[in-house]
Amino acid sequence: MRRYVIKRIAQAVGVLWAAYTVSFLVLDYLPGDPVSAMAGAGADSGQVDPAQLAALRHQYGFDRPVPVQYAEALGRAVRGDFGDSVSTGRPVTSSLGDALPQTLQLTGAALLLAVLLGGGVALLATYTTRRWLRQLLLSLPPLGVSVPTFWVGLLLVEVFSFRARLFPAFGNDGLRGLVLPAVTLAIPTGALVAQVLAKSLLTALDQAYVETARAKGAGRVRIHLRHALRNASLPALTVVGLLAGQLIAGSVVVETVFSRDGLGRVTAAAVAAQDIPLVQGVVVFGALIFVSANLIVDLVYPVLDPRIVVHSRRRVSPA
């Protein structure tokens, strides 16, 4: 078990390093000059004193060779320092720290709703004996995945804010202000969870061990929840881990639609201002959440299915 945990942690660190390196190289080779944008000259750097631009480039380290910039930036990032924002002058970590609580509330609530909605639809669709109800429930996940997130958000605002006046349409207004954005973000995520879990449950219910449990007199609820769900939950758990990072990306659209202050709006503003340090901080932070969620999922696997650790030992053992 210890070898399994160390291997997963090493893989997580490798993914973080790769995310940082790729984002650094991509942002470095993108067209545009962040120093000119910061000086207010946009694409025409001739409007600003060249000496002033040179001083700014030296201040932010953009005048050094790319390998030197990368080594220095990576060393600071390891210590949790992503430099200063070129658009606001504030430390990147402070900007992310101010926006983080709102985004964590939104993505946490959306992930919880997605698991409850997706799990509920999958369990009910595979448990019911009514054919029409099963077909109806199994048709919901493809519909939820195909509907654009921004369209769902605008529809919810029109119905529940402007017409019914049940929830605020915009802003960070406590729990009531969290409902519509969380539902908007949870619908496509929950649809994917329902799709994967329903398929896994239908496969598990046809396995021999389920027939054995039925022959021993186990009830339908016990077979469904204790025998089939435990094995069928592994693929759905993998999807939940992958979707954790996707929720951060989805928050950019949702926070824009609902005018919420959070990491999504910080990202949109940083991209518009060509704020490379802030964009890179967001990318690495998103990768950190993605890696952490998948590491937790990997560590939960052996609890649900101890055979995973056994298979891992066999792969590393000499023949």
Side-chain angles (χ1 to χ4, degrees):
M1 181 67 182
R2 187 174 63 179
R3 178 178 295 174
Y4 176 84
V5 173
I6 292 174
K7 184 178 179 181
R8 292 298 181 273
I9 292 176
Q11 289 176 343
V13 173
V15 171
L16 274 180
W17 171 79
Y20 182 87
T21 302
V22 171
S23 65
F24 180 89
L25 295 175
V26 170
L27 291 172
D28 182 72
Y29 283 101
L30 282 179
D33 184 1
V35 175
S36 297
M38 177 177 55
D44 186 6
S45 58
Q47 298 177 1
V48 182
D49 183 3
Q52 183 183 355
L53 289 176
L56 287 173
R57 285 196 177 89
H58 180 71
Q59 178 183 346
Y60 287 95
F62 291 125
D63 58 345
R64 300 183 179 91
V66 173
V68 175
Q69 290 185 43
Y70 171 75
E72 291 179 350
L74 182 60
R76 291 196 305 269
V78 171
R79 300 192 298 272
D81 179 9
F82 292 92
D84 296 334
S85 165
V86 298
S87 58
T88 65
R90 298 182 60 203
V92 170
T93 50
S94 297
S95 299
L96 297 181
D98 292 344
L100 183 60
Q102 299 297 333
T103 300
L104 285 183
Q105 285 180 9
L106 174 61
T107 54
L111 189 61
L112 179 62
L113 274 176
V115 172
L116 293 177
L117 290 174
V121 169
L123 285 172
L124 188 56
T126 53
Y127 184 79
T128 183
T129 56
R130 299 177 180 178
R131 185 179 178 84
W132 68 268
L133 180 57
R134 170 175 294 188
Q135 294 300 326
L136 175 64
L137 292 171
L138 291 178
S139 67
L140 293 179
L143 179 63
V145 173
S146 61
V147 175
T149 303
F150 72 89
W151 184 83
V152 174
L154 294 175
L155 181 64
L156 292 177
V157 167
E158 175 66 23
V159 174
F160 294 101
S161 295
F162 295 155
R163 295 181 184 275
R165 299 185 183 280
L166 293 176
F167 302 103
F170 308 111
N172 301 47
D173 188 15
L175 185 60
R176 292 180 68 245
L178 188 65
V179 173
L180 295 185
V183 171
T184 302
L185 205 53
I187 286 176
T189 308
L192 285 173
V193 173
Q195 205 164 18
V196 173
L197 184 57
K199 186 173 182 179
S200 300
L201 274 170
L202 291 174
T203 302
L205 289 170
D206 288 334
Q207 298 298 311
Y209 67 88
V210 172
E211 293 297 331
T212 303
R214 288 196 185 102
K216 290 182 177 180
R220 286 190 64 209
V221 174
R222 182 182 177 88
I223 289 175
H224 216 84
L225 297 181
R226 181 167 181 176
H227 295 282
L229 180 61
R230 181 169 182 174
N231 290 325
S233 61
L234 291 178
L237 198 59
T238 303
V239 170
V240 170
L242 295 174
L243 292 176
Q246 187 177 329
L247 284 175
I248 296 295
S251 68
V252 176
V253 176
V254 173
E255 287 178 354
T256 302
V257 170
F258 290 93
S259 297
R260 290 179 59 85
D261 295 326
L263 211 55
R265 297 193 72 183
V266 169
T267 304
V271 171
Q274 300 180 13
D275 193 338
I276 290 178
L278 190 51
V279 171
Q280 189 160 26
V282 171
V283 171
V284 174
F285 180 76
L288 178 62
I289 292 181
F290 176 81
V291 165
S292 301
N294 281 276
L295 181 61
I296 293 173
V297 169
D298 284 343
L299 297 182
V300 171
Y301 276 162
V303 178
L304 295 175
D305 190 353
R307 293 174 299 178
I308 292 175
V309 177
V310 175
H311 291 165
S312 179
R313 286 175 185 164
R314 287 177 179 172
R315 282 198 294 270
V316 299
S317 298

